[in-house]
Each structure stands twice: as structure tokens, then as C-alpha cells.
Amino acid sequence: MLTFAMTDTGEVFGIGDALELRRTGGRPPPVLCPVCRKYLIAKLGEKVSHHFAHQPNVDPCFGSTGEGELHISAKLLLLRSLQKMADEGQELSITRPCRGCEAPITAAALQLLPGDRAEVEVWLDPARTLKPDLTLWRGEERLALLEVLATHACGPEKLAALERHGVLMVEVEARTIVGEGGHAPWVRPAPLPFRKALGLRMREQCDECRAEEESRRRQREDAEAERRREEELEEQERLAPRLDVRAHCWVHMYLENGVRRDLLFILVQHWDKGEITHAELHEYKNRRVLQRWEGALAQDFWPLLEEAKVAARKYCRKSPTNPWVQVDTHGGFELGEVEEEPFQRFWWSVKQARWVKIEFQRGLHHRLRVSPEAIERQIQSGRIRQIEVKVFANSKKVTTALDAEGVERFEKWLRQRNGGGLPQRWGRRYRDD
């Protein structure tokens, strides 16, 4: 609805002015449609919103259509309000909602001075290709241009053409000016709500949203920097010289003189700049490199492991300087890092003066899944012999252990009685025959 009109003298007259004059007993002046220049009637009833309407039996013009009325009313309201602000020397500010939280953000656009003037639809260029909705003048200088959006916003081409003139331009939405569509009407000298602005740098976020976004940005940058550092460290680690322990083997050698030798063989591959350069077999306790391989063999692990086994057997070979009577390899080479040294299974028999394979009674019933009493009956019957042993021949400490042959016979008998496996629980009574 048309809420502003023009008087015969060219002044802007609003429907609010007509209502105020009726309340005070004044007589409103004749008003004209700004488009067709025909006289209008002020509609101040109670059923329909107050507005100006054309005389009966008058052909409708653009100004009487819905969007035309909205556009014209917003332009005329801006024209009158901006002119009064200029006459009073007020500052024109603009405002927009924060794109994060919708809180208003306000910025000063320009300081109006007495003598400045506002005009509607004045050609911007001699070729008459651009006609802004409103122009603010200071003498012959254009201070600012205002476009009122009712249906179509300024497109990229028009914005580019306006920007070339180097004048501040503000695009405002008609509904926010006249107060339609849930918006409160704009009242001077409040900041003018706008959609686009040229020639004015204005932040799009409030301080809180900007700080929050900056915090998120720093967190992303820190996370990205940390990721790059980790990748760099991984790449440095990949290219740095290093060695990988690929396999190991424990060997206990029991010599004729009652001395035991403990050996640990370690197979390693050396890396430099992300490639395997060579491989070595170490005898760890003596700090010796037994053999070194280069080229394709150093990189092909399984053939390399077979070569390491051959080298280890050669090193442990019986000789006058290595007169062993028993060798325990504990299953040979195992893959991966070095594990805890395995239990010594051969001890020096005090009575027989030789190396014998033993087991200790403590915990044996757990391994065989029988009761401690069952183990004790086997010992009392002589099927499992108790013997006195030492760690090596010259050790002073004597320990009582069980002969491993008797334990193995008892375990074999248990498996036969249970169909190839050990008992499922303790406490089962066994015949001694």
C-alpha cells in the first residue's frame, strides 16, 4: 500500500502526517501520486491499514500495484528522512546483522550537513544508463547513492557500473524501511539497515563471533601444523639410518667341564634413506658380527633367515675349544624383538657329575592339570626321581629338582588316559599301575 505521496509543492507527505492532522483538527493538503501525478485520497479507516489510494474511476498506474507502492513508499520515506537529517546535521549510520549470530553491526557512513540535499531518481551519467533511486548531494558533489530493493536486487553489472563512479552506494530493502513482513519501520536517525554497500568497509561479524571464528581458525591451523610436523617426523624417521631386529635365537650350550655358555643371536636389517642397505647376524653377548649380507639377499627376508640359521649353526659347531655335550636352542629362531631369556632346562647333577634335564616340582601340577598329591605319589613311588642339581659344576648352591624323563613318562601316560590331552581339572585320582 502507498503510504507516502507528494504535495503540490513537491514535499513528501506521509499517511502518518494525514492521521496526525485529523487528530489535531487540521486539514491535510492535496497530495499527488508520485508516478502518475494524479490526486490521491487518504484512507484512514479501521478495517484496512492506513494508506493513500487513487480517486475512483482512475486507471491504475504502476504506483498503485503492490510492489510499486512498496518501492515508492520506501523511496519517499527515505527522501524525507534523509533531507531532515541533513537539515539537522545528523550522522548517517548503516547497520547489518552479524552473519554468525544475527546481532546488529553498525558503522558510520557519512556526516550530513545543513545544505546537503536528497533527490529521487537523478541520472548518474550523461548517457542516462544509471538512475539510482536516491542521491545525496553536497553542492554539485554526490555524497552517496541509495538503491531500494522491492523485487530485484542490484545485479553484478549494475554494481560494477556504480562502483566505477567511486561514490558510496547502499542498497536497502523496502520492507525494512516501511515496516512490512514482520519488520519494524525505520525511524531516523536510527542506523539504516542495508543489504549491500560499495565504498564502505564494514565487518560482517560481531566481536564475539569474530573471536570465536578466529579461535576455530587457530585451532584448525594448529591441527594442520601438528599434522605436518608428524608427517615430517615420520618422513625423517623413515629416511633416518636405523636397524630393525627381524629375528632372534637363544642358545644354551652345556660344556663337558660343567660350564654353561649362553648365546643370543640377533638378525638385523639396516636402513638408510628409506632403503635396506645391508643385514647382519650378531652374537649379542660377545658383541660380535658373525656375518654381513648386502644387495638383494639383505632385502629378501626369508632367504636371509635361512642364511642366518646356517651361520648360527656353524658358530655353535662342536670343536676342541667348544666341547659341548648338550645344546638347547629353545625352538630356534623366533621372529621379532628379543624376548626374555628362556628357562635353563639342563642342570649339573651333583651325584652323577653330568648335565641332566630337570623340572621343578613347584607349579608342575598346574602345567599337568593334576593335584599336587598326584605329583607327590609319583615321587613316592619312584616313577619320578628327585635329584640334587646345581646351575653349573662350580656353583656352591645345591637345589632339589625332578628328573625330566620321569615327568615326561607321567605326562605321556596322562595324555593317553585322556584321549591325547591333559585332564580338564585337578583332583582326579589315578591308579598307580
Side-chain angles (χ1 to χ4, degrees), residues 8-35:
D8 290 333
T9 58
E11 295 181 355
V12 178
F13 188 80
I15 195 66
D17 300 327
L19 183 63
E20 184 63 25
L21 287 174
R22 191 178 75 169
R23 287 173 180 170
T24 59
R27 184 175 181 179
V31 292
L32 303 171
C33 173
V35 178

Side-chain angles (χ1 to χ4, degrees), residues 29-45:
V31 292
L32 303 171
C33 173
V35 178
C36 64
R37 308 299 295 177
K38 294 180 180 179
Y39 284 102
L40 301 175
I41 302 173
K43 298 289 187 176
L44 303 176

Side-chain angles (χ1 to χ4, degrees), residues 151-219:
T151 56
H152 302 292
C154 291
E157 294 182 0
K158 186 172 184 179
L159 288 174
L162 291 169
E163 191 172 14
R164 284 194 294 270
H165 286 270
V167 181
L168 170 67
M169 191 284 290
V170 176
E171 182 182 71
V172 297
E173 190 170 359
R175 299 182 188 279
T176 64
I177 300 301
V178 300
E180 286 192 7
H183 298 281
W186 175 69
V187 179
R188 65 177 182 90
L192 188 66
F194 78 99
R195 289 171 55 92
K196 299 187 184 77
L198 295 176
L200 179 67
R201 297 191 61 177
M202 185 174 181
R203 55 196 177 96
E204 298 181 355
Q205 293 176 291
C206 65
D207 293 338
E208 291 184 2
C209 290
R210 184 167 55 180
E212 184 178 349
E213 185 171 299
E214 180 66 18
S215 176
R216 289 196 298 266
R217 183 188 64 80
R218 286 196 298 267
Q219 290 176 0

Side-chain angles (χ1 to χ4, degrees), residues 349 352 356-358 385-389 399-404:
S349 173
Q352 302 176 48
V356 294
K357 189 176 181 181
I358 60 96
R385 293 186 301 112
Q386 286 186 318
I387 53 178
E388 292 183 341
V389 294
T399 304
T400 301
L402 302 179
D403 176 36

